[in-house]
Amino acid sequence: MSSPDSAPAGVIHNIGYRGYDGERLSRRAITLALYTHGLRGAFGLGRAARSKVIPMGMAVVMLLPAVVLAVVAVVGEQMGQLSGPVVPYTRYAMILQAALAIFVAVAAPQSVSLDLRFHSLPLYLARPLARADYVRAKLTALTTAVFLLLAAPLLVMYLGSLAAGFDAASETADVAQALLGALLYAAVLSSVSLVIASLTSRRGFGIAAIVTVLVLSYSIVSSMQGVIAFDADDPTTAGWVGLFSPMTLVDGVQVWAFGVTTSTPAGPPNDLAGAAFLLTSLAVVALGYVVLNRRYRKVKV
Amino acid sequence: MNRTIIRLTAQGMLGGRRLWLLGALAALILVIAVATRLLAPGSPADGATVLRTIVFSTFLPLFGLIVGTGAIAPEIDDGSVVHLLAKPVSRHTIVQSKLVVAVGAVVALAVLPTVLAAVILGTGAQTVLAFGVGALAAGAVYAVLFLLLTLLTRHAVIIGLVYALIWESLVGSFVPGARNLSIQQWALSITDAIAPAGVVAADVGLGLACGLIVAVLVVGTWYAGNRLAALTLATED
Amino acid sequence: MPVISTERLTKRYPRVTALDALTIDIGDGVTGLVGANGAGKSTLLKILLGLTEATSGTATVLGHDIVSDGLALRSRVGYMPEHDCLPGDMSATELVVHLARMSGLPTSAARERAADTLRHVGLYEERYRPIGGYSTGMKQRVKLAQALVHDPDVVFLDEPTNGLDPAGRDEMLSLVRRIHTDFGISVLVTSHLLGELERICDGVVIIDGGTLLRSSTVADFTRSSDRLALEVLADPDDALVALADAGLEVVRDGLLLLVALEDDETYDKVRDVVADQELGLVRLAPRRHHIAEVFDEEATRVIS
């Protein structure tokens, strides 16, 4: 056991217990502190080195193609072969969805499964922090993390386009649209993953479940869209099928709201469908919040 | 084979939430088959393509991951593997008993739905058989591989995911030589061999594929037994 | 003003009633909450902290109502849960700093207070290692540190000596006592071990099956009774007869003889009997009560 604090003559002064009269922050500030803690944790900051591998790895995987595309834009324009970016901003998330999926599948359990596994929730809830604050902090932190992961490469591509001298106005408009899309992607993906992660205290199982849901749903939806749109020549139904996977859902909203070309075999066929896509996206986020709240109200304290 | 271990593993792997997930996946395959049949009554060849894309490149690797890691990960996680190792049962028997459960789950919840889906989609009997055998081969190999991986590293799930998603999906598209290292391709060779020509395209020779499958099954099981014997436990995540 | 005050606090589960119309007042100082396992002690703490909702009844802590004023209440209270609740991958410092911030301390103050508190509970170099590798005693200290780090006005300690060896128990108990005497923080500590609380508590609340059995100061409980405890080398039955013959009211309690203390002369009478009969005096002392007697009706049957 450690030795008690004794005072060898005159060198160490046992100052005894000091009370704390300083500032005590409000509930909002505390929630904000939990938010920053969560945001940093999603990227492995403030934790062991090996937990930085996946987040940073995925960040690199997300950024590299964007850098390449930016360089291609500049070079291609100089060679007179390009007048606009090779890949539309709004398509980037879809192309790199594997990296997104892995990032969020690792970050979501890291955020919530550990507290469940070690039964640490009472330590939080016995403090001036409500359950809803805890949920809100975790949700917004993960959403911000995913948004940053998507926004950085978009901005890199944008800078490349500017450097290449493409029409600044239209590029700015395009990237702004894509950033809004990125926000929706982040919200939907975070919502879905946190709900799944909060259902299990086992981190590995949470990771597997989240990836299964995200990847499998996309695989199924896009295959079926392909078959229905091209073989059965029914792009309308194929468009509606896009509701059933998070990635195609948000892409559908981008197609309808911004008029960009679809990154799936078939986008929402009309305004009704487009509105349905938007409402469904928002409903997924809202529902996720509600489910998380209910889950944490039932957690054994 | 040890009956108690089989029973306990089955309870652990198929109890509660895992069973929900596996069952939902199995049901999903059927739903897709039905939906595709209804919405796109095209030629059975397209149905086969849909099945191949979804089942072989995504469903089976993920299923194998869940089942392979689920055979032993919970026990390592909560430390109860100590009780298992304290029994006078050969480590190889333990591994084999667990694999029996894993492969059983693969047959019941992956191969069977795949076969049913193929039937629903109206592909010929030969194709149905082909898909069934191919799915069984792939599922078994994935289960062995991921069980072994769980014994090798604590990050088995993540590595397995990277393999399943990135390697298996991208490999087929870009790097011809590396296809020989893709379990998906081995299974597809078998499927191609049994199905009528042209239904499925395979890039790995049948002999090589079968050899690799058998090799992984045998060596993987044996090596897993060895690793189990040398298992050390850590206290923290 | 009482630190904690409950009014007919009830908590019913489908199959069991954890608390049954509990009405108590708890004041300053170290108060022990005693009861058998499942008596409702942890449930009471959780309800007071707002972790669980009561089925009916009200309560206040430090003047804050637990339902309407829960947030303000929780900024002034510290909680040390009974169960394992520490994440294994963080170090003690990281965890206590993080939880200090969760209690509303600004970052730099959180770091200072965390360092101070960990020192006060006796964690020195170990604080930088991951908690997963700690012994039970160290983990209990970390739990205590996070309860104290934000300088609360009262702390709730749920079975702080759980899982500790006798030496660790003693250290924890004296630490608990110091929380009040040195740090000036009121303490509500639960235990199912009655004896250890006698040493450190000012007051005791005894709960059994969710209802209040007794509540008073420890001094009241363990005051000297009107009996003398006598232990002799000779056969207690022989001594019993000898003392009775001398006109004393005496009852046998195992190896002890309990003599009704009527006046100062009783001491002399006992001494004389023991000397005359050569009974071999081992011990003669006023008999004190123990908290355990509240549960044991036989032992509290007073000779009258």
Side-chain angles (χ1 to χ4, degrees):
Chain A
M1 267 297 177
S2 33
S3 56
D5 204 308
S6 58
V11 177
I12 304 172
H13 298 277
N14 188 349
I15 43 186
Y17 184 81
R18 290 175 292 184
Y20 178 72
D21 294 321
E23 198 189 349
R24 282 180 200 263
L25 303 172
S26 66
R27 181 178 156 193
R28 285 191 63 202
I30 295 176
T31 313
L32 191 65
L34 188 57
Y35 163 82
T36 29
H37 177 87
L39 181 55
R40 297 189 56 189
F43 288 103
L45 304 173
R47 287 163 58 213
R50 76 184 141 78
S51 37
K52 294 184 177 57
V53 172
I54 295 281
M56 295 307 182
M58 291 306 116
V60 168
V61 170
M62 292 288 292
L63 275 173
L64 271 182
V67 170
V68 169
L69 285 170
V71 170
V72 165
V74 172
V75 170
E77 195 274 341
Q78 281 177 353
M79 294 184 6
Q81 299 193 331
L82 281 182
S83 57
V86 175
V87 172
Y89 298 105
T90 48
R91 184 162 299 168
Y92 197 72
M94 191 65 86
I95 298 176
L96 287 179
Q97 60 173 289
L100 271 179
I102 293 180
F103 178 85
V104 84
V106 169
Q110 186 275 323
S111 173
V112 296
S113 297
L114 291 178
D115 285 339
L116 289 172
R117 176 175 173 195
F118 292 113
H119 307 287
S120 319
L121 217 52
L123 295 178
Y124 284 99
L125 298 179
R127 291 179 146 76
L129 182 77
R131 272 182 176 88
D133 295 335
Y134 179 87
V135 170
R136 228 174 298 147
K138 298 281 178 185
L139 198 50
T140 45
L142 189 57
T143 306
T144 311
V146 177
F147 175 71
L148 289 176
L149 196 71
L150 257 177
L154 289 176
L155 287 175
V156 166
M157 284 178 13
Y158 175 63
L159 290 175
S161 297
L162 288 183
F166 298 147
D167 179 28
S170 75
E171 290 305 301
T172 311
D174 288 344
V175 81
Q177 289 172 345
L179 285 172
L180 279 177
L183 188 57
L184 193 56
Y185 270 121
V188 169
L189 288 175
S190 307
S191 195
V192 170
S193 344
L194 274 180
V195 167
I196 298 175
S198 72
L199 294 174
T200 171
S201 59
R202 270 215 174 86
R203 221 179 59 130
F205 189 51
I207 297 177
I210 294 171
V211 169
T212 304
V213 168
L214 291 179
V215 171
L216 200 56
S217 62
Y218 175 75
S219 171
I220 293 170
V221 164
S222 63
S223 305
M224 292 194 62
Q225 279 186 323
V227 167
I228 297 173
F230 300 122
D231 297 337
D233 205 20
D234 186 2
T236 309
T237 313
W240 281 98
V241 170
L243 274 174
F244 292 100
S245 108
M247 295 302 294
T248 54
L249 177 68
V250 178
D251 188 63
V253 176
Q254 288 186 140
V255 167
W256 173 70
F258 308 134
V260 296
T261 49
T262 177
S263 309
T264 67
N270 49 41
D271 277 336
L272 174 64
F277 271 63
L278 178 61
L279 284 175
T280 311
S281 314
L282 297 175
V284 166
V285 178
L287 199 62
Y289 179 63
V290 167
V291 169
L292 279 172
N293 266 320
R294 290 192 61 194
R295 169 86 182 107
Y296 277 97
R297 227 176 291 146
K298 290 211 192 97
V299 163
K300 184 171 172 292
V301 177
Chain B
M1 301 299 144
N2 184 304
R3 240 175 263 220
T4 315
I5 297 182
I6 291 180
R7 184 171 48 85
L8 288 173
T9 309
Q11 279 171 353
M13 185 195 302
L14 302 175
R17 298 224 163 103
R18 261 175 231 261
L19 188 60
W20 273 109
L21 188 59
L22 297 175
L25 289 178
L28 203 52
I29 299 293
L30 295 176
V31 166
I32 295 165
V34 169
T36 311
R37 186 70 193 263
L38 289 176
L39 296 173
S43 68
D46 297 317
T49 314
V50 168
L51 214 52
R52 181 181 64 75
T53 330
I54 297 177
V55 169
F56 280 86
S57 54
T58 318
F59 176 68
L60 281 175
L62 287 173
F63 197 92
L65 181 65
I66 296 173
V67 151
T69 56
I72 194 155
E75 281 163 313
I76 296 181
D77 249 359
D78 60 25
S80 59
V81 68
V82 177
H83 299 300
L84 190 62
L85 294 175
K87 298 287 176 286
V89 179
S90 145
R91 303 296 180 243
H92 294 286
T93 310
I94 296 178
V95 167
Q96 285 157 21
S97 308
K98 287 184 174 293
L99 282 174
V100 163
V101 180
V103 173
V106 164
V107 168
L109 295 170
V111 175
L112 217 53
T114 305
V115 164
L116 278 174
V119 169
I120 293 175
L121 284 167
T123 60
Q126 222 176 331
T127 315
V128 170
L129 180 66
F131 271 111
V133 174
L136 178 59
V141 173
Y142 281 128
V144 170
L145 194 64
F146 290 128
L147 180 84
L148 176 60
L149 202 58
T150 316
L151 290 172
L152 289 174
T153 162
R154 251 178 306 176
H155 303 291
V157 177
I158 299 178
I159 296 177
L161 282 175
V162 170
Y163 173 79
L165 292 186
I166 297 182
W167 184 263
E168 291 282 18
S169 324
L170 296 184
V171 147
S173 321
F174 296 127
V175 188
R179 284 187 200 149
N180 291 333
L181 290 177
S182 160
I183 296 175
Q184 185 192 152
Q185 293 299 327
W186 305 344
L188 285 174
S189 306
I190 296 187
T191 310
D192 185 36
I194 302 178
V199 170
V200 167
D203 296 307
V204 180
L206 182 59
L208 182 60
C210 287
L212 285 169
I213 289 176
V214 171
V216 171
L217 285 175
V218 170
V219 173
T221 310
W222 173 80
Y223 190 41
N226 277 12
R227 290 301 310 174
L228 188 59
L231 190 67
T232 50
L233 299 171
T235 41
E236 77 234 36
D237 190 339
Chain C
M1 187 181 80
V3 169
I4 302 168
S5 176
T6 76
E7 180 74 39
R8 300 192 63 77
L9 205 56
T10 309
K11 176 68 180 172
R12 272 185 239 286
Y13 290 106
R15 259 179 275 168
V16 72
T17 302
L19 292 178
D20 198 358
L22 193 68
T23 305
I24 49 173
D25 279 334
I26 295 176
D28 251 342
V30 182
T31 308
L33 187 58
V34 177
N37 283 328
K41 314 187 291 292
S42 294
T43 314
L44 177 61
L45 291 189
K46 288 181 189 165
I47 291 180
L48 290 175
L49 287 164
L51 297 173
T52 318
E53 272 179 23
T55 317
S56 67
T58 59
T60 62
V61 176
L62 296 167
H64 299 283
D65 182 87
I66 58 172
V67 172
S68 60
D69 214 2
L71 283 170
L73 188 171
R74 288 194 283 279
S75 60
R76 297 175 64 191
V77 170
Y79 176 46
M80 175 180 169
E82 175 191 356
H83 59 269
D84 269 336
C85 59
L86 302 174
D89 58 339
M90 294 175 89
S91 71
T93 310
E94 281 168 1
L95 179 68
V96 178
V97 169
H98 176 59
L99 288 176
R101 295 182 66 202
M102 291 298 104
S103 286
L105 269 56
T107 318
S108 51
R111 290 210 193 98
E112 263 187 56
R113 289 280 316 171
D116 266 357
T117 318
L118 284 169
R119 178 170 55 89
H120 282 298
V121 302
L123 281 174
Y124 299 91
E125 306 81 39
E126 310 81 31
R127 67 174 76 174
Y128 303 111
R129 295 193 332 241
I131 296 176
Y134 284 10
S135 66
T136 313
M138 287 154 74
K139 285 187 187 167
Q140 296 288 80
R141 285 165 195 263
V142 177
K143 280 200 257 173
L144 186 58
Q146 64 82 31
L148 295 171
V149 71
H150 52 288
D151 192 27
D153 296 320
V154 62
V155 287
F156 295 170
L157 310 178
D158 204 346
E159 312 256 3
T161 58
N162 240 2
L164 298 178
D165 58 25
R169 265 219 169 90
D170 282 340
E171 281 184 39
M172 178 58 75
L173 288 174
S174 51
L175 196 49
V176 170
R177 184 73 204 160
R178 273 180 58 215
I179 292 176
H180 176 61
T181 54
D182 291 358
F183 305 172
I185 302 175
S186 287
V187 180
L188 177 61
V189 54
T190 72
S191 176
H192 56 273
L193 299 170
L194 313 180
E196 65 182 17
L197 290 190
E198 277 182 20
R199 287 154 41 188
I200 59 166
C201 292
D202 301 318
V204 174
V205 172
I206 306 183
I207 300 186
D208 193 32
T211 52
L212 181 66
L213 265 190
R214 261 183 80 173
S215 162
S216 78
T217 61
V218 168
D220 269 355
F221 267 117
T222 59
R223 72 183 183 288
S224 301
S225 68
D226 50 357
R227 282 181 291 171
L228 285 180
L230 171 70
E231 193 180 341
V232 292
L233 291 174
D235 189 313
D237 284 327
D238 294 339
L240 189 83
V241 169
L243 289 166
D245 282 345
L248 294 168
E249 272 193 59
V250 56
V251 142
R252 181 179 167 178
D253 180 13
L255 281 176
L256 289 178
L257 294 156
L258 302 173
V259 182
L261 185 63
E262 288 163 33
D263 51 32
D264 278 346
E265 286 187 8
T266 313
Y267 285 96
D268 296 336
K269 283 192 203 167
V270 170
R271 178 204 58 200
D272 291 339
V273 169
V274 167
D276 291 341
Q277 302 289 325
E278 294 182 354
L279 295 173
L281 180 66
V282 174
R283 183 159 57 103
L284 175 65
R287 166 78 155 172
R288 296 171 77 245
H289 286 302
H290 292 280
I291 298 183
E293 294 166 11
V294 176
F295 291 97
D296 182 9
E297 286 174 22
E298 289 295 314
T300 53
R301 209 162 28 103
V302 177
I303 330 149
S304 53

